[in-house]
Amino acid sequence: MNKKIVSGLAIAAATTLALGVVVASPASAAKKTSVTLAFQGPLTGPDAQLGQDQFPGAEWAIALYNAKKPAVKINLIKADSQCDGTVAANIAPGVAANKAVIGVIGTSCSGEARNSFPAYKAAGLTMVAPSASAVSLSDPKAPDRGFPIFHRVVAHDGFQAPALVRYATKGVSSPKIYLVDDQTTYGAGLIKYALAPAKKIGVVGTDSVPRGTADWSSVASKVKASSANVVIYGGYTVEAAKFFKALRDGGYTGILAAGDGVNTSDFPDLAGKAAEGVRLTAADVPFDSLLTAAELASFQKITGVKVPGLYSATAYNAAQVFITCIEMGKLTRPAIQSCVNNTTFTGAGGSKIKFNRYGDIIGGADVGGYLVKNGKIIYDAIA
Amino acid sequence: MNFSVVTTQFWSLVLQGLALGLIYSLVALGYTMVYGVLRLINFANSEIFMLGTFAVLWVEIELLGHPVAAKPLGGFELVYTLVIALVGSMIACAVLAVIVELVAYRRLRARGASRLASLISAIGVSIFLMETMRMFTESRPRTAPRLLEKWSFGEIAGANFRIDTMLAIVAPIIIFVILDQFVNRSRLGKAIRAVSLSEENAKLMGININRVISLTFLIGGLTTGAAAFLYTTVYENTVFNVGFNMGIAAFTAAVLGGIGNIRGAFYGGLALGMMEQFASAVLGSQWKAVTVFVVLVLILLFKPNGLFGEAVQQTRT
């Protein structure tokens, strides 16, 4: 490696460390009256529902904190990376360059997280993600891991995939599983981790269909020929809607199931009748089931959202992580980073959150099972 | 590899391949007609298709007031709704195609710009249309109401003769027969063939070249509009970039059959639809595109002008 770069890095690191120590001291902390957190996720684009559902969780947590008239107020800004890694790579440097930002609540999608890492690692900006679930993000062996800045308050797909298989085959006598993925990092990853548990039950076929495919009739024919009675799809809402419609129109009567990529409130609209009875999972339990009536009323009043969406609980928890550190007087990026790494936090419903070295929650998190009934996605049980 | 699916689902795959392939054929006509007279690829055709699908949605949802969750229609109301949606989409696409010709081709041609300039201006129009639609729809996909209940005529040898599949097979065949007769029999058809053979000579014979070119864009727009209607009726959804994949498929179909050749577009589309169905069923969907393009390259190696040759040969028949 180039010696100049190495020594440059060393100086930079030393300066950051020194500054961190100085700024974190109580004397200068007293000067700060406000800090900024950024929420990063899809707020527009095809997957906008994902981010739109999560944002209110963070918004509410911070509004509650600011309402207590603390010495240091928190501003929340939005960074829209559209669930798209390319967009994320473009906006992350801007967020990192904003000196006021001391932490990122995000991202929603795994591709966004991965492509934001270079900018945030260089800036020492800590991330706490509400729903980025690809296993590789926290895999010590993966070249694109987010260590040391990445954390997530959601169980990764290594937990979700087996739960999805369990939930999809629940109550089915002699299940014959057909697995289909969408060739994305998330979809292919989810099915990869679903394959092993599914094989123990019985897999009759697999397929891998690129996003943007309009005609799913040949896949439907294959599923029919395989006489499968459980179809599990790893991918996102739009494609799932086309696939499930083609299956139902082709006369398939078995179980349809998919992961959290399909668990968005627009899925029943897009899939129409074919959405009925579809089984979905998410590493999240509904936020309203964790709140008291008074808390729910306050949530509705502050955010203007009637029913908290998917992953608003984890977004709330992610915000809570930062709020706790800010309450402890950690007001700089390095101070926040060491605080997030070393503290045990309390999330919604009193759950305890502590991160391991690579940013995953110690002890994992529950995976919820959801059902589509009368055009609405409803929470069913722990999957 | 999964050959058992071929033995049990053969006729079902054939039927679905026909429906998909004929929709490709209709869009391929939009490429092939224009290529026949201008020797240029109309890259904006994929976006004309995309706007056609939105036109169908607009007619069904806004104009005729059937919300996305509407119950399927029956009897006269169904026929009337579908016909208006079909005609609306065809008119919208035809008008748009003529405008594209005026904006992206005619002025450049009149000023003697190079062929490459028109190619780029067509790509420019295509990007303009797609990005405008992206902003209008915020990149969100849209669903069409299920107005046509997908009932089946019955099943023969595993093939499900569903109404929407049958519609996507019968309608394009009728359109092709009419178009073929029009181009081969009518005066205007003769003019199109004349321009296709030699623009210079056609001009000397007193044929209004600009009118003929506008007419071919119009016809290409009409068939693309019909394809947009069938696509929306069968697949019930659309999105701002739906034209991209369709454009590539239709263009491939046109080249496969011999670009500039109307019958070539028909058989090219069919061949592509069949190949996609069987490749996806036997090898897996991840091999679909690979198979299609390997076959395309092999055919072009031995028949560089496609299966049915280029426009000139065809127009002589």
Side-chain angles (χ1 to χ4, degrees):
Chain A
M1 201 197 263
N2 188 326
K3 271 192 180 168
K4 265 187 192 163
I5 293 180
V6 175
S7 58
L9 280 177
I11 292 170
T15 330
T16 331
L17 214 66
L19 280 175
V21 173
V22 173
V23 182
S25 68
S28 53
K31 284 184 207 157
K32 275 201 182 180
T33 56
S34 76
V35 292
T36 303
L37 296 175
F39 175 88
Q40 188 184 345
L43 297 166
T44 64
D47 305 301
Q49 201 61 49
L50 209 56
Q52 301 282 14
D53 280 348
Q54 296 175 6
F55 182 75
E59 187 187 14
W60 184 57
I62 288 166
L64 289 185
Y65 168 81
N66 284 340
K68 288 189 275 182
K69 303 207 185 309
V72 183
K73 281 208 164 199
I74 302 176
N75 303 317
L76 182 62
I77 59 168
K78 291 178 181 177
D80 177 15
S81 42
Q82 298 178 14
C83 194
D84 183 333
T86 319
V87 178
N90 285 331
I91 67 157
V95 175
N98 183 345
K99 291 265 159 54
V101 175
I102 59 165
V104 176
I105 301 168
T107 58
S108 309
C109 300
S110 303
E112 286 175 326
R114 178 170 35 240
N115 288 16
S116 301
F117 288 159
Y120 294 161
K121 279 180 186 171
L125 192 54
T126 304
M127 300 169 75
V128 180
S131 72
S133 59
V135 177
S136 70
L137 301 178
S138 63
D139 182 356
K141 287 185 217 111
D144 53 357
R145 65 178 192 268
F147 175 79
I149 51 124
F150 179 72
H151 308 77
R152 58 179 154 204
V153 285
V154 62
H156 64 56
D157 291 340
F159 291 97
Q160 193 190 167
L164 172 58
V165 173
R166 239 183 356 256
Y167 187 58
T169 53
K170 195 164 140 189
V172 181
S173 57
S174 65
K176 289 188 275 270
I177 305 174
Y178 204 101
L179 295 162
V180 180
D181 75 60
D182 70 343
Q183 304 183 353
T184 64
T185 320
Y186 159 74
L190 187 71
I191 293 302
K192 183 179 146 200
Y193 284 90
L195 195 57
K199 270 187 175 158
K200 284 186 197 147
I201 299 169
V203 175
V204 290
T206 61
D207 201 0
S208 180
V209 186
R211 280 183 101 172
T213 298
D215 186 86
W216 286 78
S217 56
S218 61
V219 188
S221 293
K222 267 199 287 189
V223 171
K224 211 172 165 193
S226 73
S227 67
N229 56 9
V230 176
V231 173
I232 300 178
Y233 181 63
Y236 294 97
T237 303
V238 181
E239 250 58 41
K242 298 183 207 168
F243 179 29
F244 291 174
K245 267 188 177 180
L247 279 172
R248 289 289 188 230
D249 291 342
Y252 173 78
T253 52
I255 302 282
L256 297 171
D260 53 353
V262 180
N263 197 341
T264 53
S265 46
D266 53 352
F267 171 66
D269 297 335
L270 289 168
K273 258 201 246 162
E276 278 307 299
V278 170
R279 299 178 178 190
L280 302 165
T281 55
D284 181 45
V285 285
F287 201 17
D288 37 350
S289 72
L290 303 173
L291 301 177
T292 63
E295 282 172 332
L296 185 62
S298 149
F299 177 90
Q300 289 163 337
K301 196 175 157 210
I302 288 169
T303 64
V305 175
K306 284 227 169 73
V307 182
L310 185 75
Y311 288 126
S312 47
T314 51
Y316 171 88
N317 284 353
Q320 210 57 50
V321 164
F322 287 115
I323 291 171
T324 309
C325 288
I326 291 164
E327 276 174 336
M328 290 161 69
K330 314 293 184 194
L331 304 179
T332 64
R333 290 177 183 181
I336 286 282
Q337 190 176 326
S338 89
C339 168
V340 170
N341 281 334
N342 300 314
T343 314
T344 304
F345 303 94
T346 308
S351 60
K352 292 288 170 219
I353 299 167
K354 175 127 177 67
F355 298 106
N356 69 15
R357 186 173 157 77
Y358 296 99
D360 273 319
I361 301 179
I362 294 172
D366 286 335
V367 176
Y370 296 74
L371 269 180
V372 183
K373 238 186 202 165
N374 301 324
K376 292 240 153 41
I377 299 176
I378 53 159
Y379 176 67
D380 180 29
I382 298 283
Chain B
M1 293 253 209
N2 175 9
F3 285 107
S4 66
V5 66
V6 175
T7 54
T8 59
Q9 299 284 321
F10 182 81
W11 291 108
S12 153
L13 290 171
V14 168
L15 203 65
Q16 290 156 5
L18 275 175
L20 179 64
L22 285 168
I23 294 179
Y24 286 160
S25 300
L26 285 179
V27 185
L29 274 181
Y31 289 96
T32 238
M33 292 292 295
V34 169
Y35 186 87
V37 293
L38 281 182
R39 294 288 181 278
L40 280 174
I41 309 298
N42 177 15
F43 280 110
N45 197 47
S46 50
E47 266 42 71
I48 293 172
F49 170 81
M50 179 273 290
L51 284 165
T53 60
F54 280 100
V56 173
L57 255 64
W58 183 82
V59 168
E60 290 181 350
I61 296 170
E62 306 290 334
L63 190 68
L64 301 175
H66 301 293
V68 174
K71 290 249 179 320
L73 306 174
F76 178 68
E77 198 187 9
L78 172 69
V79 175
Y80 144 98
T81 308
L82 292 185
V83 167
I84 292 188
L86 171 66
V87 171
S89 161
M90 286 172 81
I91 292 176
C93 288
V95 169
L96 190 67
V98 172
I99 294 174
V100 167
E101 196 269 326
L102 283 177
V103 173
Y105 290 91
R106 180 165 301 179
R107 276 184 69 79
L108 295 178
R109 207 168 57 240
R111 297 179 170 207
S114 76
R115 303 171 87 75
L116 274 178
S118 323
L119 212 64
I120 295 296
S121 65
I123 293 176
V125 169
S126 166
I127 292 173
F128 169 79
L129 292 174
M130 187 159 89
E131 291 300 315
T132 309
M133 212 53 185
R134 180 208 287 277
M135 283 188 273
F136 268 118
T137 60
E138 294 176 324
S139 314
R140 295 282 187 92
R142 291 289 151 93
T143 309
R146 176 167 288 195
L147 300 179
L148 177 66
E149 185 56 81
K150 300 203 168 180
W151 51 272
S152 174
F153 291 102
E155 220 172 89
I156 302 172
N160 187 2
F161 286 81
R162 225 168 56 203
I163 180 76
D164 58 325
T165 316
M166 299 317 292
L167 187 67
I169 293 173
V170 174
I173 292 179
I174 295 174
I175 292 173
F176 265 96
V177 170
I178 295 175
L179 186 65
D180 203 55
Q181 294 299 313
F182 172 78
V183 171
N184 284 320
R185 300 261 168 104
S186 72
R187 236 174 106 79
L188 280 169
K190 202 181 257 178
I192 292 177
R193 282 182 293 145
V195 175
S196 170
L197 271 173
S198 164
E199 200 180 312
E200 298 274 291
N201 286 329
K203 214 182 267 176
L204 289 174
M205 295 297 136
I207 292 173
N208 183 342
I209 303 283
N210 279 339
R211 220 178 112 217
V212 168
I213 290 173
S214 283
L215 181 72
T216 50
F217 271 88
L218 184 98
I219 294 173
L222 286 175
T223 60
T224 304
F229 166 78
L230 291 171
Y231 179 94
T232 320
T233 308
V234 175
Y235 302 116
E236 296 174 341
N237 67 72
T238 185
V239 65
F240 74 97
N241 59 6
V242 70
F244 184 76
N245 281 328
M246 175 56 78
I248 289 186
F251 181 55
T252 310
V255 172
L256 191 65
I259 191 152
N261 182 328
I262 293 174
R263 288 179 191 173
F266 181 81
Y267 292 112
L270 276 187
L272 187 69
M274 290 292 176
M275 273 196 285
E276 285 199 349
Q277 288 289 325
F278 280 95
S280 154
V282 177
L283 302 171
S285 301
Q286 64 271 43
W287 290 100
K288 188 170 77 182
V290 178
T291 317
V292 165
F293 285 98
V294 165
V295 172
L296 179 75
V297 168
L298 285 178
I299 287 179
L300 293 184
L301 274 180
F302 295 103
K303 297 204 70 162
N305 290 332
L307 290 173
F308 291 83
E310 263 203 38
V312 181
Q313 282 88 347
Q314 180 258 333
T315 42
R316 277 188 195 136
T317 59

